[in-house]
Amino acid sequence: AAKKGQDSGDSDQPEFTKMEIKVGKIVKVWNHESADKLFCEQIDLGEESGPREIASGLREHYTLEEMQDRLVLVVCNLKAAKIVGFVSNGMVLAAKSEDGQKVELVTPPERSSVGERVFIDGLSGEPISSAQVKKRKIWEAVSRDLKTADGGVATWQGKTIQTSVGPCKVASLVGAPIS
C-alpha cells in the first residue's frame, strides 16, 4: 500500500489538483515603471493577508480599464518570482494564439466567488506547497495539458475547468494553450 505524504500529495492524485488555482479580482492595476509589456496588479484572492501583487505580460493585449475589477484565474502555489524588479506572487492564466498575436484572459463566470478554488468534476486532492510544485515540476506538467476547447472553455486533459457557477472561458480562442 502506498504511504500518504503530508506535503507531497498522493501518488495517484491527479496533477491538476496539486495546483491551487483560484478566482481573483483585480483591485488595482498599473503599468510597470520600466517594463513596457508588464502590468502590475493587486489581486484579491480572499486571503487574510490581503491582495497579492502579481505581474502579467498583458499590456499589448488589454487596457488598464479592461483589467481593473476584472475576475481572473490565479495560480497561487508558485514560488514568488522577481520580474524586472517587481516581486510577483502568482500567475494570471491566459490563452495565447499559435502566432502569439492574440492573448485572452481565462475568465471565471460572473457570479464566481473571489477566493474560490477552481475544479474539474471527478478530480479531487489538496494543493501542495510552492516548494514541492517547483521541486517536482508540477506546474510544467499541468500546464502542458491546459488548452481552450469549443466555445473558449478552459480545459485540462480535455476536462472542463470550472467554479461552482460554471465553466471558465476565454473570449474566442479555441485549441489555444493556456499558461
Side-chain angles (χ1 to χ4, degrees):
K3 272 202 293 213
K4 288 195 178 182
Q6 284 79 31
D7 195 37
S8 56
D10 212 336
S11 59
D12 58 4
Q13 177 183 348
E15 300 285 297
F16 180 84
T17 66
K18 295 175 183 176
M19 297 308 304
E20 186 171 29
I21 303 172
K22 290 180 169 181
V23 175
K25 182 178 183 175
I26 299 174
V27 291
K28 186 177 176 190
V29 59
W30 64 98
N31 292 331
H32 188 288
E33 58 188 41
S34 58
D36 57 6
K37 288 186 164 91
L38 291 181
F39 280 130
C40 299
E41 304 122 9
Q42 280 186 354
I43 301 181
D44 180 6
L45 289 154
E47 296 169 324
E48 279 180 26
S49 51
R52 288 189 188 206
E53 294 205 330
I54 295 177
S56 305
L58 295 167
R59 266 171 70 183
E60 296 176 343
H61 307 282
Y62 287 91
T63 64
L64 285 166
E65 294 72 29
E66 288 170 328
M67 294 290 284
Q68 182 67 43
D69 297 324
R70 188 182 191 105
L71 287 180
V72 291
L73 294 191
V74 178
V75 184
C76 295
N77 57 342
L78 296 173
K79 282 205 131 155
K82 206 171 212 175
I83 303 174
V84 200
F86 183 85
V87 179
S88 185
N89 285 290
M91 185 170 78
V92 173
L93 289 182
K96 189 185 236 174
S97 62
E98 243 174 87
D99 61 9
Q101 294 302 302
K102 195 169 197 181
V103 173
E104 295 177 349
L105 284 162
V106 179
T107 306
E110 227 173 273
R111 296 177 324 283
S112 300
S113 302
V114 165
E116 180 183 355
R117 187 177 172 212
V118 299
F119 64 93
I120 290 172
D121 266 342
L123 303 186
S124 62
E126 288 304 307
I128 62 174
S129 71
S130 58
Q132 284 293 318
V133 167
K134 185 180 172 85
K135 184 177 167 191
R136 292 162 50 202
K137 297 184 167 54
I138 302 295
W139 176 244
E140 289 81 349
V142 169
S143 62
R144 272 198 299 271
D145 293 319
L146 289 173
K147 290 197 173 41
T148 59
D150 288 347
V153 173
T155 66
W156 181 73
Q157 293 187 348
K159 301 175 192 84
T160 300
I161 298 169
Q162 55 196 334
T163 71
S164 57
V165 291
C168 301
K169 300 177 177 182
V170 298
S172 68
L173 291 171
V174 174
I178 297 170
S179 63

